Amino acid sequence: MFGLTVGRRASAGPAVDDDTLVAAQRLTVTRGQQPVLCNVDVAVKAGQVVTLVGPNGSGKSTLVQVLTGLIRDHQGQVRHRDGLRVGYVPQHFRIDRNLPITARRFMKLAPRGRHGNWDSAVADAGVAHLLERPMQGLSGGELRRVLLARALLSRPHLLALDEPAAGLDQRGQGELYRLIRHIRERYGCGVLVVSHDLNLVMAATDQVLCLSEGHILCRGAPESVRAHPEYLALFGSHLGPETAVFPHAHDHEPGEHCSHG
């Protein structure tokens, strides 16, 4: 869950150049008869922070799991750089309170061969003072740092963080996004983030993809777009003047639907 190596798929698909870590083309995912993602094109390059935003149920977590190789049942093409190492931090993680385990022991449970980066992962995530504490006693922010440290053990090329700031106060959120930028600069990895906090997105990302009902509704560099009218039509005019919004570039024509035939 927290570190995996993905080989390139054999099927034809979007080209993966030297800088591209993962690329998807016309990606479609259905559950039962219900489309979760529909005709999504996306790529993440080395050193790039890409943030996914959108309403609950828009397909953000599913897209992350497909791009990281955790979900393989899909239509469309997904290509990964050969030997891509992925670190993944899920949105929800629960520790059984009847099974006491320290943060050190939890990190040591990572697969063999991933502990060569131990000192750097511990230092970069800032968890040295947490290693002897029980996982059950960590705060939400402390738990996320330990999960992040474990994800860094493999020195990932791609780091995927699903709602990493959920439940943190404003100070904790700011610290987390500063940490993300530090890790991107230190490791040179691509970072894929799911977030609902648009103010933080403005300062911490290179590209934003806004999903709605399984489609990429709009995408672009956050600094280039403040208060786009179509984005506000989706999320409401209650957003304050300092809230980041993103440029609109349709990836589908109005009325286009997924084909399940």
Side-chain angles (χ1 to χ4, degrees):
M1 178 181 293
F2 303 97
L4 60 155
T5 300
V6 183
R8 184 179 296 181
R9 294 174 67 98
S11 57
V16 177
D17 58 31
D18 290 341
D19 292 330
T20 301
L21 302 174
V22 58
Q25 187 175 61
R26 298 193 67 80
L27 177 64
T28 296
V29 176
T30 59
R31 290 176 181 161
Q33 299 298 315
Q34 183 67 31
V36 180
L37 294 172
C38 185
N39 296 326
V40 169
D41 293 349
V42 61
V44 182
K45 295 180 178 293
Q48 182 182 42
V49 178
V50 176
T51 300
L52 308 179
V53 300
N56 289 335
S58 59
K60 302 184 300 295
S61 294
T62 297
L63 179 55
V64 169
Q65 292 175 29
V66 172
L67 294 178
T68 57
L70 293 172
I71 292 178
R72 296 182 180 272
D73 185 12
H74 59 76
Q75 296 174 307
Q77 308 299 333
V78 179
R79 286 289 187 102
H80 300 93
R81 176 191 288 183
D82 286 330
L84 180 71
R85 295 192 303 272
V86 177
Y88 173 63
V89 178
Q91 178 180 0
H92 301 292
F93 185 81
R94 294 180 177 86
I95 298 292
D96 187 345
R97 293 190 174 276
N98 296 316
L99 183 63
I101 184 173
T102 65
R104 181 186 297 275
R105 178 58 179 161
F106 172 75
M107 287 185 61
K108 290 287 188 181
L109 291 175
R112 293 182 179 181
R114 293 195 177 131
H115 294 167
N117 194 45
W118 177 275
D119 291 341
S120 294
V122 167
D124 290 333
V127 298
H129 64 295
L130 302 175
L131 292 178
E132 306 311 324
R133 290 181 47 188
M135 291 287 288
Q136 294 87 344
L138 299 180
S139 69
E142 291 169 340
L143 176 61
R144 282 182 176 82
R145 282 181 176 266
V146 171
L147 297 177
L148 177 60
R150 187 175 177 186
L152 293 176
L153 288 176
S154 64
R155 296 194 68 88
H157 302 117
L158 175 64
L159 180 63
L161 309 172
D162 194 347
E163 294 283 7
L168 302 182
D169 60 22
Q170 187 172 7
R171 178 179 177 180
Q173 291 174 349
E175 291 176 349
L176 175 68
Y177 276 86
R178 284 191 291 273
L179 177 60
I180 290 172
R181 290 197 300 271
H182 166 74
I183 289 171
R184 184 264 298 270
E185 293 167 2
R186 176 168 169 76
Y187 288 75
C189 59
V191 184
L192 184 62
V193 184
V194 173
S195 176
H196 280 101
D197 194 312
L198 305 183
N199 286 306
L200 290 174
V201 165
M202 281 295 295
T205 193
D206 301 306
Q207 184 182 39
V208 175
L209 278 65
C210 176
L211 277 76
S212 177
E213 298 182 347
H215 295 273
I216 295 181
L217 180 65
C218 45
R219 70 171 85 208
E223 67 274 9
S224 68
V225 292
R226 314 263 309 174
H228 191 286
E230 292 193 50
Y231 183 93
L232 292 176
L234 177 64
F235 286 95
S237 59
H238 64 280
L239 298 176
E242 296 304 317
T243 300
V245 290
F246 312 104
H248 192 79
H250 282 293
D251 290 291
H252 58 283
E253 295 299 325
E256 180 183 355
H257 301 285
C258 289
S259 173
H260 307 296

